[in-house]
Amino acid sequence: MADNQIIENLPGVIEELEKNCTENPGSVIAHHHLALVYRKANRIDDAIRELTKALELDPYSFESLINLGSIYFEKNELDKSLAINEQAVRINENSAQAHANIGLIWQRKNDPDKAIAAYTKATQHNPKLATAWVNLASAYIEAGNIDEALKAAKEGVALEPDFGMAQNNLAVAYYFAKDCKSAKIHADKATVLGYAVDPRFIAAINEALR
């Protein structure tokens, strides 16, 4: 079923999937799918319950781990999210997404060094994962390593030039590299792409260019 069809008919889809879980209580896929739709319906506790059930049935259900970790991250339950994503890595060490998720958690925990280590692993496992490069740039900026931030930000923009956050983070890296002309170019691109560039950042660039 297409994603937009699911959204338009959430109650009906939920009823159908709940029936499927009742008829197939041992199906990991059934519980996982129901959890995803509960999440779309903002029934977060129900989504957690179904993902937990899926993992009880199969502790190696990688996608269930990734989705459960994501929910806990959104709830700002960072320790739970970290433990779940680390479990995902133990199952699949080559998962760029799991490493990138761990980077996000460490960044929110204000530990840029651990975030950098996790994002770097993500880019090594999947060099084309633009979000990992973009977030790596952000972590390098927080750590004060502007040269590496520029390299990472440029990689992100090269992979996805229409990604507003990529353009924004490259602008920030250029600003701290004292290249405000380039910073303005990329901040303007980010704005055109619909990214909400911090107006204080724009003001700082304009002030530096006077």
Side-chain angles (χ1 to χ4, degrees):
M1 183 177 291
D3 198 51
N4 59 343
Q5 290 177 302
I6 292 175
I7 293 172
E8 290 173 3
N9 188 30
L10 276 176
V13 173
I14 288 172
E15 183 178 354
E16 179 182 336
L17 292 176
E18 286 176 337
K19 180 181 178 183
N20 190 22
C21 284
T22 300
E23 294 174 349
N24 302 282
S27 171
V28 174
I29 293 174
H31 289 288
H32 184 249
H33 285 174
L34 178 56
L36 296 183
V37 178
Y38 276 146
R39 190 176 181 185
K40 287 182 182 295
N42 203 33
R43 291 174 58 175
I44 302 304
D45 289 342
D46 289 332
I48 290 172
R49 184 193 68 238
E50 292 303 316
L51 287 170
T52 301
K53 179 63 177 178
L55 288 165
E56 288 173 355
L57 292 167
D58 179 7
Y60 292 92
S61 176
F62 183 79
E63 290 301 323
S64 295
L65 286 167
I66 291 295
N67 282 297
L68 185 57
S70 176
I71 289 175
Y72 279 127
F73 181 79
E74 291 173 359
K75 287 168 63 67
N76 208 37
E77 295 185 32
L78 301 183
D79 290 337
K80 286 184 179 180
S81 184
L82 180 60
I84 290 167
N85 278 286
E86 287 177 338
Q87 185 177 346
V89 166
R90 286 193 292 273
I91 292 170
N92 182 3
E93 169 62 28
N94 296 324
S95 170
Q97 188 59 62
H99 287 294
N101 290 348
I102 290 171
L104 282 171
I105 295 164
W106 283 118
Q107 201 165 5
R108 187 172 286 186
K109 281 174 165 284
N110 299 313
D111 193 329
D113 291 336
K114 288 183 179 178
I116 288 167
Y119 290 138
T120 299
K121 287 182 180 178
T123 61
Q124 289 169 345
H125 290 300
N126 183 0
K128 295 186 181 299
L129 185 60
T131 53
W133 287 107
V134 171
N135 288 323
L136 177 58
S138 176
Y140 272 129
I141 290 168
E142 290 176 14
N145 190 336
I146 305 307
D147 288 342
E148 291 300 322
L150 271 170
K151 291 178 186 177
K154 287 176 181 178
E155 287 284 351
V157 167
L159 287 167
E160 292 192 23
D162 293 334
F163 184 14
M165 183 182 289
Q167 295 287 351
N168 176 79
N169 286 8
L170 181 54
V172 174
Y174 271 126
Y175 176 81
F176 283 109
K178 303 188 185 306
D179 183 351
C180 291
K181 183 176 179 180
S182 295
K184 180 169 175 53
I185 289 170
H186 290 282
D188 288 345
K189 286 182 179 179
T191 300
V192 170
L193 290 167
Y195 185 83
V197 180
D198 190 328
R200 296 169 297 179
F201 177 51
I202 297 293
I205 294 173
N206 292 334
E207 179 66 25
L209 288 172
R210 286 182 182 177

